[in-house]
Amino acid sequence: MFRFAVACVALLAAAPAFASDLVLRDILQEQPLSDAPDMKVMITRVTVKPGGAVVEHIHPGDEHAVVLRGGTVLLTDGQEAEYAEGDVLFFSAGEMHGGLRNIGGTEIVLLTTHVVNVLEPFRWPAE
């Protein structure tokens, strides 16, 4: 399950982590955190179309996600993994995730919540 979770939220990355128009991230809401002016909460809907890929990346804060529509992904190590509707994912600040491609015939859709530091880039590539 841990390996699946690490691969999953790649879908939850920022737009530049998505190399094509096959992965879309729509910002639904973005607000400062009440008691921490250097932090913000960002809610997004991420859609990974068939063939869409998300590179491995890192965020400067926590990321939570719920799978709204599942599907099959291919991980960088050649393993396949399944997303199921209702799966809940979590990635702590600085934890690498991503590195997957949607190999199914339908879109994979996630609802993500990021709590990130506004003084740092939203995401950066994993090394």
Side-chain angles (χ1 to χ4, degrees):
M1 184 63 175
F2 174 76
R3 182 166 186 47
F4 172 71
V6 169
C8 288
V9 177
L11 303 173
L12 316 171
F18 306 135
S20 73
D21 60 353
L22 296 177
V23 179
L24 309 171
R25 182 177 61 88
D26 298 311
I27 298 173
L28 304 177
Q29 186 176 51
E30 189 171 3
Q31 296 291 325
L33 200 57
S34 298
D35 295 333
D38 293 344
M39 301 295 287
K40 72 177 175 180
V41 177
M42 203 167 142
I43 300 172
T44 66
R45 179 180 41 245
V46 176
T47 303
V48 182
K49 297 180 181 182
V54 179
V55 299
E56 293 176 329
H57 62 279
I58 298 167
H59 297 284
D62 293 345
E63 180 177 355
H64 304 258
V66 177
V67 178
L68 301 178
R69 184 177 317 134
T72 305
V73 297
L74 181 65
L75 307 176
T76 55
D77 66 1
Q79 298 284 328
E80 290 185 14
E82 288 291 323
Y83 287 96
E85 181 179 326
D87 282 351
V88 177
L89 310 168
F90 172 75
F91 301 94
S92 60
E95 181 179 350
M96 187 277 300
H97 54 280
L100 56 87
R101 176 176 303 280
N102 180 353
I103 59 171
T106 61
E107 295 179 343
I108 296 172
V109 181
L110 297 100
L111 181 66
T112 71
T113 301
H114 293 85
V115 180
V116 294
N117 188 321
V118 299
L119 302 176
E120 298 183 38
F122 176 71
R123 57 79 208 104
W124 58 92
E127 295 180 13

